[in-house]
Amino acid sequence: MKVTLNPNAKDAATRDALVAEGGFGKYYTDHMVVCEWTEKDGWAEPELKPYGPLSLDPATAVFHYGQEIFEGMKAYRQPDGSISLFRPDANAKRFANSAKRLALPEMPEALFLETVETLVKQDAGWVPNKIGESLYIRPFMIATEVGLGVRPTNKATYILIATPAGAYFDPSKAVSVWISTEYVRAAQGGTGEAKCGGNYAASLVAQKAAAKEGCDQVVWIDAKERKWVEEMGGMNLYFVKGKGADATVITPKLTGTLLPGITRDSILSVAKDLGYKTEEVMLSIDDWRDGVSSGEITEIFACGTAAVVSPVGTAKSNMGTWVTGDGQPGVITMQIRNHLLAIQHGTTSDTHGWVRKVC
Ligand SMILES: *Cc1c(COP(=O)(O)O)cnc(C)c1O
């Protein structure tokens, strides 16, 4: 890897003050990694360089046809002061799958991991210390061929940036959701399984509609039958049926239109480790309403790398409004959240080999 250090890197005191502010995505670390690809020569040597603006021709493909993919992952401070990543190999694989779907070049897993580890080592001082805080890492790739012709790009740029993420979990607040029957996120054969910016662009109008209904987030249902629950915003969903040791923790099945979340996948294992039954199911809006009114569904939460676990309370739709729980996060929701955070921060044993030490 080529290395060009930032001559204007923040001094430790300034940096620590910015990290201590918490929040998310407000400040970026001193460096970034850039790696160019061309159809002719493949991947060039990546470069670690000062974080800064890009200069691109206005006719660059990504600006016009949205050929872009991204990932989201985190580096966590461990009790001994070292820093670890959580399942970065899974992000590398998903990034390659997203690339394939968007006709972008697949980045080899080893190269992907090298870029992430190099940036985290260089900017290690930006990794916060407290449990629930982390360094959020954003790898992405854009089509950089210049020209307005519509075709798969013959040039691409991979870029890696990182931002400190504070603990923004408010345990007293369950999110409210609007179940959208007007807009869909993904259809069979579409890009729902790929992590691409276009999916998010197309989702914003539904997010606005949810806000208009007084809800925090939108819940997506399937495009074909318009009844099967898929995801919440940019997160996967979980439902708890029953209570105590007999509870079953269920999540919508991956049908090809859901984004296969790494947090979702990890929770299937964590819930089993904690002694719960787990199931991947087809769950309809009717099942949701009936389960809540009969009391069978006791807890609902959404999950993803950024927020880890978010309790879901009120669900609103054209069919009415129904409320799960008392506005407080459920017992099993919190148990799963705390256990996953403990694995990520190294305060409980990592029996699945998920944690990868960087430095
Ligand atoms: C990224 C993402 C998720 C969560 O994936 P994680 O790997 O758990 O962070 C869920 N749904 C959508 C639509 C996403 O983009």
Side-chain angles (χ1 to χ4, degrees), residues 63-273:
F63 296 139
H64 305 277
Y65 309 122
Q67 208 184 347
E68 186 267 358
I69 57 168
F70 66 96
E71 268 302 322
M73 54 205 293
K74 283 176 169 177
Y76 302 85
R77 186 74 65 182
Q78 306 293 298
D80 64 359
S82 67
I83 297 167
S84 291
L85 296 164
F86 182 72
R87 306 187 68 184
D89 51 317
N91 294 97
K93 288 191 182 83
R94 190 170 63 188
F95 195 57
N97 286 337
S98 299
K100 214 183 288 176
R101 181 62 184 82
L102 273 287
L104 283 163
E106 290 169 54
M107 180 176 245
E109 185 172 326
L111 178 58
F112 179 92
L113 294 176
E114 182 197 351
T115 64
V116 173
E117 293 189 350
T118 303
L119 184 66
V120 171
K121 269 185 207 154
Q122 180 62 45
D123 288 340
W126 289 84
V127 181
N129 291 318
K130 294 193 203 102
I131 283 216
E133 300 182 340
S134 56
L135 183 69
Y136 183 84
I137 301 161
R138 167 54 57 86
F140 64 104
M141 196 197 306
I142 54 175
T144 45
E145 185 176 352
V146 174
L148 298 184
V150 180
R151 57 179 170 266
T153 191
N154 64 17
K155 273 179 74 184
T157 302
Y158 163 86
I159 305 172
L160 180 66
I161 56 176
T163 177
Y168 61 96
F169 184 72
D170 179 355
S172 66
K173 196 175 177 311
V175 299
S176 57
V177 296
W178 168 248
I179 301 176
S180 174
T181 43
E182 185 178 5
Y183 301 108
V184 295
R185 192 191 81 92
Q188 291 293 340
T191 55
E193 276 185 325
K195 219 167 165 66
C196 61
N199 287 344
Y200 279 74
S203 78
L204 299 175
V205 66
Q207 180 60 43
K208 264 184 152 174
K212 216 173 141 204
E213 295 290 341
C215 296
D216 302 313
Q217 288 285 339
V218 59
V219 160
W220 303 107
I221 56 172
D222 79 291
K224 197 172 168 201
E225 294 181 67
R226 300 288 181 106
K227 64 185 256 197
W228 304 108
V229 175
E230 296 200 329
E231 300 194 55
M232 180 193 92
M235 301 173 83
N236 295 111
L237 277 170
Y238 266 92
F239 297 77
V240 179
K241 283 188 166 178
K243 283 186 185 150
D246 289 333
T248 304
V249 175
I250 67 175
T251 189
K253 199 188 252 183
L254 299 178
T255 56
T257 54
L258 282 74
L259 194 289
I262 296 162
T263 316
R264 174 192 179 280
D265 184 70
S266 305
I267 287 174
L268 280 173
S269 297
V270 164
K272 265 185 220 119
D273 295 345

Side-chain angles (χ1 to χ4, degrees), residues 18-78:
L18 297 181
V19 171
E21 267 188 46
F24 179 74
K26 209 158 139 200
Y27 305 108
Y28 292 83
T29 67
D30 296 310
H31 297 88
M32 62 183 187
V33 177
V34 176
C35 190
E36 304 285 352
W37 174 90
T38 64
E39 196 166 59
K40 189 164 149 277
D41 298 321
W43 290 102
E45 187 185 354
E47 181 179 9
L48 177 93
K49 57 199 259 183
Y51 183 95
L54 309 173
S55 177
L56 291 168
D57 189 294
T60 299
V62 66
F63 296 139
H64 305 277
Y65 309 122
Q67 208 184 347
E68 186 267 358
I69 57 168
F70 66 96
E71 268 302 322
M73 54 205 293
K74 283 176 169 177
Y76 302 85
R77 186 74 65 182
Q78 306 293 298

